[in-house]
Amino acid sequence: MSDNDTAPVPGGEHSSAELTPAQHAEHEARGGVVAGRARKGMFGVGDTGDTSGFGGLQLPPYLPPPAARPYGGWFDDLTDTLVAAMATNGLPADAVQQVTVDRDEITFYLRREQLLPLCRLLRDDPSLRFELCSSVSGVDYGTQVPQRLHAVYHLLSMTFRRRIRLEVALDVDDPVVPSVVEVYPTADWHERETWDMFGIVFDGHPALTRILMPDDWDGHPQRKDYPLGGIPVEYKGAEIPPPDQRRTYS
């Protein structure tokens, strides 16, 4: 997939990716999990005048591949236990959109409406016992990626000494996901920071306010379409502009 496969999205004008019919079909076939695009350059620079040092950077598209059985190690037993517990507790099988195994880590992509009951199940089921949420964070994959915002949860089972990741893909026009604070109180300040930096709204959080930026700050600094800004630096009479404004003059 190349940059030309998606229509350009002007910054701040439209927040979601414009998908071709083929990309939309792929997106749906993957259970609604994000389908990525190739990236070239940095800071939105596409011409040869980039002097930031990143103009030649080329990265493949982000495509979290579904893992095939057997996953290896304890991942298969864990997944079978989770699926059985979901059936016992009346949770739909499609609550888990995708399972990915990468770098010796297992990730379950979840539908957001099932996040809270699944977290409660993962914590309370005696065969699972993921008692601690050690981290909640966010990811923004850029304006040309469908469901570009992801909420990411790292869970730890102190009983079985296992770690897993949960991930929920969200559209930037509707970046709402249930708060897990009632299940994992440690998520309180993590969710506040993720809201502050990425604008992911954790519905039901006891006090979803900024934690790093001032209360009256406009925008969410770690979103990909947030202006880089910067302070012009004077050097021997010349002003050095922010990175996204630098060009050669020859």
Side-chain angles (χ1 to χ4, degrees):
M1 188 181 298
S2 68
D3 283 341
N4 295 327
D5 290 337
T6 49
V9 181
E13 191 171 302
H14 191 13
S15 53
S16 299
E18 300 292 340
L19 301 183
T20 65
Q23 288 174 319
H24 182 74
E26 178 194 6
H27 183 59
E28 292 302 317
R30 295 167 64 80
V33 177
V34 64
R37 62 179 178 86
R39 190 177 69 179
K40 298 175 67 176
M42 290 284 279
F43 308 125
V45 176
D47 58 15
T48 57
D50 173 29
T51 59
S52 65
F54 295 98
L57 180 67
Q58 296 190 34
L59 295 177
Y62 172 75
L63 294 170
R69 291 291 194 108
Y71 301 145
W74 51 267
F75 295 156
D76 293 278
D77 289 340
L78 169 70
T79 303
D80 291 339
T81 301
L82 176 58
V83 170
M86 288 170 59
T88 301
N89 288 270
L91 297 180
D94 65 355
V96 178
Q97 295 175 282
Q98 179 175 302
V99 180
T100 296
V101 176
D102 187 39
R103 295 172 175 84
D104 296 323
E105 186 174 56
I106 188 167
T107 301
F108 296 94
Y109 290 85
L110 308 181
R111 298 190 184 278
R112 64 177 172 182
E113 60 270 17
Q114 299 297 333
L115 172 64
L116 202 56
L118 274 169
C119 282
R120 191 174 286 109
L121 179 66
L122 286 162
R123 183 195 65 181
D124 295 342
D125 189 279
S127 300
L128 296 169
R129 289 296 187 201
F130 285 91
E131 305 98 338
L132 175 66
C133 178
S134 60
S135 173
V136 179
S137 57
V139 185
D140 182 358
Y141 287 104
T143 56
Q144 292 182 335
V145 175
Q147 291 189 301
R148 54 182 270 200
L149 293 178
H150 285 207
V152 183
Y153 306 80
H154 292 82
L155 303 186
L156 169 65
S157 170
M158 293 177 284
T159 300
F160 298 111
R161 299 176 66 184
R162 294 173 172 177
R163 293 180 185 270
I164 63 172
R165 293 173 74 251
L166 308 179
E167 199 157 331
V168 180
L170 303 166
D171 192 278
V172 74
D173 294 323
D174 184 23
V176 182
V177 66
S179 171
V180 299
V181 170
E182 66 177 79
V183 179
Y184 295 114
T186 53
D188 190 339
W189 286 13
H190 296 271
E191 290 185 352
R192 284 180 59 191
E193 181 176 346
T194 305
W195 145 250
D196 196 357
M197 294 290 103
F198 292 94
I200 296 175
V201 179
F202 294 91
D203 186 34
H205 189 281
L208 194 61
T209 56
R210 292 193 182 271
I211 192 171
L212 298 178
M213 309 304 291
D215 289 340
D216 60 351
W217 193 265
D218 185 21
H220 305 281
Q222 288 192 318
R223 283 193 177 181
K224 286 295 196 301
D225 52 1
Y226 188 84
L228 286 176
I231 300 174
V233 179
E234 291 189 15
Y235 179 72
K236 292 185 177 181
E239 285 197 355
I240 309 300
D244 58 334
Q245 299 175 19
R246 299 175 192 170
R247 299 291 188 275
T248 58
Y249 298 94
S250 59

